Amino acid sequence: MEQLILAYYNRKAGVENSYHRKELGVDLVPISVPLEELFVLAYSYSEIKGIGLYDDGHIHIDLREAEGIIWIKKRGKRCEYFSEPVSALESFSPFSASFHSR
């Protein structure tokens, strides 16, 4: 089965120093693949240094030069930051599919 993903870029999105505004960030909305699976796929690319998982059904990826960062954002709560993706997935959803490391 083919997997469909909608990618969107909004130069005006986010705060002033947003990677969207720097043209280094994009948000991805999975159409026919689980959100957690897209998150794991994004993490498998070493070029992607910033990965955010949002409970509204999208992930953010960016190509920042700094050390990698992983976060999750749930409605009405502050971002939670993680040093590795397994903890992020467990915090996001205790029923997430198992994670396969890089």
Side-chain angles (χ1 to χ4, degrees), residues 26-63:
V26 66
D27 292 332
L28 304 172
V29 178
I31 305 297
S32 63
V33 61
L35 184 64
E36 293 87 351
E37 189 175 318
L38 180 58
F39 177 82
V40 170
L41 177 64
Y43 183 77
S44 72
Y45 288 89
S46 62
E47 300 86 359
I48 297 174
K49 300 291 186 187
I51 305 173
L53 181 59
Y54 292 78
D55 70 354
D56 68 357
H58 83 277
I59 69 166
H60 166 90
I61 60 172
D62 64 60
L63 304 175

Side-chain angles (χ1 to χ4, degrees), residues 8-38:
Y8 61 95
Y9 160 78
N10 182 350
R11 188 176 183 127
K12 296 180 182 178
V15 295
E16 189 172 324
N17 63 348
S18 165
Y19 285 90
H20 289 277
R21 291 186 178 202
K22 296 176 184 178
E23 299 181 358
L24 295 172
V26 66
D27 292 332
L28 304 172
V29 178
I31 305 297
S32 63
V33 61
L35 184 64
E36 293 87 351
E37 189 175 318
L38 180 58

